[in-house]
């Protein structure tokens, strides 16, 4: 029997994301109706791939309640008393049950490693959340600056030292209180060990990427299952290997307009992957960041509207070698996209050479 | 919220005690703990129901789950509407099963499921007009305004946390000082956000306003938490441009800022003169340590005998409270009393009634303010009417009380069964306040109605600005012998009957 600590450690963000890997590969077909029902209702307990979490692994050939399609329909419909399997016939209609039974039937024999083990460490029950390529995890949180300089952050204000105040005395006392390094508006996304990134919703800019891990949230969430403050600065710790850290002023120039004021408007999920949406001045951007084939590679598929005269990117000379584009004219650190190219282009950011 | 630690041992003891229903009493409110998949830490920041009857639970460390409640509290068929971790979800409005409004530390967000597959696919920013200093304490909460917009209560930062080198919104070094502070805009304010996202600061002077609700009559209510400039946790009736006592927020009031004054150095008497007093105050310790979301019982009696009254959760206590409000001389005031004190965990942060009105769900999180208490419980009226003081109302010469069941008329008519006192709390830089100027009051003439359902008690010495605490003696039983479950009430006298 699985011990309790392992059970707790095995908890993944049960995340029935639309479960399709988005990478720099060919488009993946949309999920089957049964798969959609499965990730919505069943993945909570059986894991997104059916390999089991708190519910049993459905991909092996060990049948607890019968292995025919008919048995599966019955188990789904009627549930299993005393085992936490609800009678889904009160929730799902017959067609949905049939579809998800097809999906479950097709899982038999895949023999995926138990989700209990596969999910270890990828949990929001522990302070070590983590996504995967199949199931990216988005976390909006305070973030560390990772050395990103003030020139990248012109739309933030500067937190300053303030006179030290004594809550006990109700007056200022000698000394001052300094701010700590941190960013308020981070959107952190994990694709597992291959890629993680931090996009900033105030500057509407990809700030940094890394690979090999995600975030240690202990200082913000507390240790273990949380509940206790662990520190004073509440800034998560980046785990893994830095791949890219931006610097320099906003690289985007909008020909004919001096206004590149950022305005974050939200994000959409494209097959489970966040597509970040924002304006720079009058131009609307949508940026879908996915992992490349090598660790730390970020594929940034960008579409815009309103860039009637195209766009010009002035990359920081030190970063220029890390960034390529599939379109436009490149002249050293300057990328020029005409209106057609600016409508849809892809920047590929490779890890810094070591 | 209050920076109060609930010792784990005390909580455990309270839980053991709480599990026992009062001896000999038929249970009136049945409390159950709802199970989640063990993959979820249910730090609950928002609760709601869809029109189809699915419960919506928004969490800080998971995302958003939905399930149609089942009779078995361990068998809710949870499904994940969203598994994105927004920045500490603090408030939720359910528009439909395909559209939710969520407030988190950094923005008000419209989350929609455009393709109808049951999974959210769009997260659009409605408003992010307030600042963020990087301090963990700057939570907020929302209430729909009934016209497509929202009211938002925005909490201050805590000296137990830092601010960042990069803040969203202007940084005020003056506002950075204080036990709880307002280093960036609109910390310590109530704001209105219209349907298009336009943000209007509405009222100021708040500390940690962790509960907001619009009443059936349209009045706006906010709970706040005891601490600096908060002698006791208050319930406020919110009026535009009023000031509610915590000075730090004044740094973002243009007229005040123009004076160049340091709000923390204002004389206490000056702050007192500016402030709109609370409608109700919850004394710390015995009554409530950290009031959270208020909800009005609009179930028409399906949740028991308190229809129309307000119920408030306690984040730092294993209890729910009941509030009886009335307007006296144009000003709102009233009494608070314990409501459900058995079977509950601490962390009662968000409340929602089930569509049938018989059940109240309480979403719990303590989130660093004490021993972990992350959970969801439900409280269901069993149909057995508890013996309680149903209402307490001010009269010219004292108070009128009604009971949920006929009272034993002999004991109720005995003045020695009515222990009364009055006191007030100081509002200073210190954390909280002991009761000040406590004076015993005497019950005078008592008239108990022939049916035993009401009584009037004459009291000499009532004055404004005081809380009148009533402790009914255990001898006051119902005519059928039931013990009064919660015999202690606190009435805030803002005005006397003219």
């Amino acid at each position: 029997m699985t011990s309790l600590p392992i059970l707790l450690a095995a908890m993944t963000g049960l995340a029935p994301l639309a479960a399709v890997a988005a990478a720099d590969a060919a488009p993946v077909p949309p999920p089957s109706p049964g798969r959609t029902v499965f990730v919505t209702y069943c993945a909570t307990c059986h894991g997104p791939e059916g390999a089991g979490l708190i519910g049993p692994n459905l991909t092996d050939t060990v049948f607890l309640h019968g292995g025919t399609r008919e048995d599966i329909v019955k188990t789904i419909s009627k549930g299993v008393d005393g085992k936490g399997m609800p009678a889904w016939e009160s929730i799902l209609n017959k067609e949905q049950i049939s579809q998800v039974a097809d999906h479950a039937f097709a899982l038999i024999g895949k023999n995926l490693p138990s989700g209990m083990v596969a999910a270890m460490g990828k949990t929001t029950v522990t302070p070590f959340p983590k996504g995967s390529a199949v199931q990216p995890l988005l976390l909006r949180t305070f973030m560390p600056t990772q050395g990103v300089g003030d020139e990248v952050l012109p739309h933030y204000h500067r937190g300053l030292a303030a006179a030290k105040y004594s809550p006990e005395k109700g007056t200022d006392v000698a000394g001052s209180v300094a701010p700590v390094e941190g960013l308020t508006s981070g959107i952190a996304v994990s694709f597992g060990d291959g890629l993680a990134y931090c996009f900033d919703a105030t500057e509407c800019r990809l700030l940094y990427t890394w690979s090999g891990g995600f975030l240690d949230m202990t200082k913000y969430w507390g240790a273990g299952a949380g509940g206790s403050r662990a520190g004073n600065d509440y800034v998560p710790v980046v785990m893994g290997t830095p791949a890219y850290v931006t610097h320099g002023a906003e690289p985007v120039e909008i020909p004919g307009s001096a206004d590149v004021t950022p305005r974050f408007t939200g994000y959409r999920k494209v097959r489970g992957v966040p597509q970040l949406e924002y304006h720079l001045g009058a131009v609307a951007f949508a940026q879908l960041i996915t992992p490349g084939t090598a660790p730390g590679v970020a594929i940034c598929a960008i579409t815009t509207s309103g860039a009637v005269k195209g766009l010009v990117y002035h990359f920081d000379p030190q970063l220029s070698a890390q960034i390529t584009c599939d379109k436009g004219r490149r002249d050293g650190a300057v990328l020029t996209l005409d209106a057609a190219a600016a409508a849809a282009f892809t920047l590929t950011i490779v890890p810094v050479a070591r | 919220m209050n920076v109060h630690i609930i010792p784990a041992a005390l909580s455990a003891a309270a839980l053991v005690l709480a599990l026992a229903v009062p001896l000999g009493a038929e249970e009136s409110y049945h409390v159950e703990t709802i199970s989640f998949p063990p993959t979820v830490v249910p730090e609950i920041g928002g609760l709601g129901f869809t029109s189809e009857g699915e419960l919506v639970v928004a969490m800080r460390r998971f995302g958003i789950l939905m399930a149609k409640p089942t009779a078995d509290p361990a068998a809710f068929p949870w499904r994940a509407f969203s598994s994105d971790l927004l920045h500490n979800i603090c408030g939720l409005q359910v528009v439909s099963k395909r559209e939710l409004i969520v407030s988190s530390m950094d923005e008000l967000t419209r989350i929609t499921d455009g393709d109808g597959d049951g999974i959210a696919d769009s997260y659009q920013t409605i408003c992010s007009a307030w600042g963020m200093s990087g301090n963990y304490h700057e939570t907020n909460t929302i209430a729909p305004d009934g016209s497509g917009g929202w009211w938002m209560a925005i909490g201050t930062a805590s000296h137990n946390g830092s601010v960042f080198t990069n803040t969203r919104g202007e940084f005020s070094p003056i506002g950075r000082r204080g036990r709880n502070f307002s280093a960036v805009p609109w910390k310590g304010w109530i704001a209105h956000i219209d349907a298009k996202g336009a943000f209007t600061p509405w009222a100021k002077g708040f500390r940690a306003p962790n509960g907001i609700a619009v009443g059936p009559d349209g009045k706006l209510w906010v709970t706040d938490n005891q601490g600096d400039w908060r002698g006791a946790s208050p319930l406020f009736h919110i009026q535009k441009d009023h000031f509610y006592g915590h000075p730090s927020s004044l740094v973002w009031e243009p007229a005040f800022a123009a004076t160049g004054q340091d709000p923390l150095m204002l004389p206490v008497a000056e702050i007192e003169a500016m402030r709109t007093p609370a409608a109700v105050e919850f004394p710390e310790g015995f009554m409530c340590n950290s009031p959270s979301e208020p909800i009005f019982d609009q179930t028409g009696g399906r949740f028991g005998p308190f229809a129309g009254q307000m119920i408030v959760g306690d984040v730092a206590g294993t209890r729910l409270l009941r509030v009886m409000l009335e307007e006296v001389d144009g000003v709102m005031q009233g009494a608070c009393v314990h409501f459900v004190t058995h079977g509950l965990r601490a962390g009662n942060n968000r409340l929602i009634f089930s569509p049938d009105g018989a059940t109240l769900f309480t979403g719990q999180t303590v989130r660093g303010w004490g021993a972990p208490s992350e959970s969801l419980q439900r409280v269901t009226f069993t149909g057995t009417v508890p013996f309680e003081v149903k209402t307490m109302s001010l009269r010219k010469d004292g108070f009128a009380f009604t009971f949920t069941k006929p009272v034993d008329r002999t004991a109720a008519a005995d003045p020695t069964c009515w222990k009364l006192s009055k006191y007030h709390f100081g509002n200073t830089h210190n954390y909280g306040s002991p009761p000040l100027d406590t004076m015993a009051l005497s019950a005078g003439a008592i008239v108990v109605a022939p049916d035993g359902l009401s009584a009037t008690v004459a009291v000499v010495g009532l004055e404004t600005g005081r809380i009148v605490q009533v402790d009914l003696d255990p001898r006051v039983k119902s005519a059928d012998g039931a013990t009064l479950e919660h015999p202690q009430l606190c009435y805030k006298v803002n005005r006397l009957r003219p």
Side-chain angles (χ1 to χ4, degrees), chain B residues 47-200:
Chain B
L47 290 178
F49 267 96
T50 67
S51 58
E52 291 82 5
E54 262 193 305
L55 176 64
V56 184
V57 182
M59 288 163 284
R60 177 200 201 196
R61 273 172 74 167
F62 177 72
I64 300 167
L65 290 178
M66 296 186 180
K68 205 157 197 171
T70 53
D72 180 353
F76 281 30
W78 293 112
R79 67 184 180 95
F81 180 75
S82 167
S83 38
D84 289 4
L85 281 68
L86 303 189
H87 198 153
N88 293 358
I89 292 180
C90 306
L92 170 70
Q93 178 198 2
V94 177
V95 178
S96 74
K97 69 177 180 182
R98 290 173 61 169
E99 180 179 353
L100 308 180
I101 307 296
V102 163
S103 78
S104 42
M105 295 262 281
D106 53 348
E107 67 170 44
L108 186 67
T109 310
R110 185 183 310 277
I111 306 179
T112 52
D113 165 20
D115 59 11
D117 67 354
I119 301 172
D121 45 39
S122 171
Y123 300 71
Q124 301 303 309
T125 307
I126 298 169
C127 180
S128 58
W130 58 94
M132 293 178 81
S133 74
N135 190 278
Y136 74 102
H137 201 276
E138 293 173 346
T139 59
N140 60 58
T141 185
I142 56 165
D145 72 355
S147 304
W150 302 270
W151 300 104
M152 176 176 275
I154 304 172
T156 54
S158 166
H159 73 293
N160 285 317
S162 303
V163 299
F164 286 171
T165 46
N166 301 287
T167 62
R168 189 177 85 181
E170 183 184 348
F171 178 85
S172 164
I174 291 180
R176 167 66 179 87
R177 297 151 49 256
R179 184 185 289 269
N180 270 50
F181 58 86
S182 184
V184 293
W186 307 98
K187 303 306 175 186
W189 286 69
I190 308 300
H192 182 258
I193 300 171
D194 74 14
K196 292 183 176 172
F199 180 96
T200 307

Side-chain angles (χ1 to χ4, degrees), chain A residues 11 14 124 220 232 267 269, chain B residues 38-39 61-62 84 87 160 162:
Chain A
M11 292 160 187
L14 37 75
T124 60
Y220 203 1
N232 187 260
Y267 64 94
K269 290 300 190 62
Chain B
T39 46
R61 273 172 74 167
F62 177 72
D84 289 4
H87 198 153
N160 285 317
S162 303

Side-chain angles (χ1 to χ4, degrees), chain B residues 124-470:
Chain B
Q124 301 303 309
T125 307
I126 298 169
C127 180
S128 58
W130 58 94
M132 293 178 81
S133 74
N135 190 278
Y136 74 102
H137 201 276
E138 293 173 346
T139 59
N140 60 58
T141 185
I142 56 165
D145 72 355
S147 304
W150 302 270
W151 300 104
M152 176 176 275
I154 304 172
T156 54
S158 166
H159 73 293
N160 285 317
S162 303
V163 299
F164 286 171
T165 46
N166 301 287
T167 62
R168 189 177 85 181
E170 183 184 348
F171 178 85
S172 164
I174 291 180
R176 167 66 179 87
R177 297 151 49 256
R179 184 185 289 269
N180 270 50
F181 58 86
S182 184
V184 293
W186 307 98
K187 303 306 175 186
W189 286 69
I190 308 300
H192 182 258
I193 300 171
D194 74 14
K196 292 183 176 172
F199 180 96
T200 307
W202 197 263
K204 57 202 171 265
F206 299 90
R207 181 180 174 275
N210 185 33
I212 188 165
V214 177
D217 59 358
K219 288 190 177 69
L220 180 62
W221 298 94
V222 166
T223 60
D224 204 343
N225 274 239
Q226 138 181 310
D228 50 338
W229 313 102
R230 289 273 182 268
S233 294
L235 169 71
F236 292 119
H237 171 216
I238 303 303
Q239 294 165 277
K240 190 174 191 310
D241 297 329
H242 282 218
F243 169 72
Y244 290 87
H246 195 284
S248 293
S249 58
L250 291 170
V251 296
W252 305 110
E253 164 67 76
F256 182 87
T259 68
Q261 289 178 281
D262 174 357
L264 295 181
M265 292 297 116
L266 289 174
V268 169
E270 201 171 313
I271 294 176
E272 288 298 306
M274 290 164 63
R275 71 191 289 148
T276 298
V280 171
E281 288 182 71
F282 306 97
E284 199 214 1
F286 67 87
M287 187 56 76
C288 180
N289 285 8
S290 183
S292 56
E293 180 161 43
I295 190 168
F296 284 88
D297 179 347
Q298 299 181 73
T299 68
R302 292 188 296 277
F303 193 61
F306 308 112
Q309 295 188 8
M310 177 192 284
I311 296 166
V312 176
D314 187 353
V315 169
T318 56
R319 58 201 166 199
L320 302 177
L321 293 103
R322 191 157 57 81
V323 176
M324 297 150 263
L325 294 164
E326 62 181 348
E327 187 171 323
V328 176
D329 193 20
V331 172
M332 297 306 297
Q333 58 189 44
C336 56
V337 62
H338 285 165
F339 173 39
V340 176
T341 52
H342 67 276
L344 286 171
R345 296 162 57 101
N348 299 288
N349 188 42
R350 298 289 177 257
L351 303 174
I352 194 76
F353 278 106
S354 62
D356 69 4
T359 298
L360 181 68
F361 284 84
T362 169
Q364 297 158 338
T365 181
V366 173
R367 192 174 291 181
W369 277 267
S373 182
E374 328 305 335
S375 174
L376 175 68
Q377 292 187 299
R378 66 178 170 194
V379 179
T380 303
F381 179 54
T382 63
T384 298
V385 173
F387 181 46
E388 298 275 23
V389 172
K390 187 175 177 182
T391 61
M392 177 178 180
S393 175
L394 186 70
R395 289 164 53 90
K396 268 194 171 179
D397 62 345
F399 291 98
F401 298 85
T402 64
F403 299 93
T404 56
K405 300 204 286 190
V407 68
D408 177 302
R409 297 185 68 232
T410 307
D414 180 351
T416 67
C417 284
W418 297 81
K419 185 183 169 198
L420 297 147
S421 61
K422 67 177 177 181
Y423 50 80
H424 64 109
F425 293 102
N427 301 300
T428 69
H429 71 273
N430 289 314
Y431 188 97
S433 164
L436 302 174
D437 304 321
T438 304
M439 286 180 63
L441 297 171
S442 300
I446 298 172
V447 178
V448 184
D451 63 5
L453 285 171
S454 63
T456 58
V457 179
V459 181
V460 176
L462 296 179
E463 61 178 313
T464 59
R466 293 292 184 271
I467 290 161
V468 175
Q469 182 177 325
V470 181

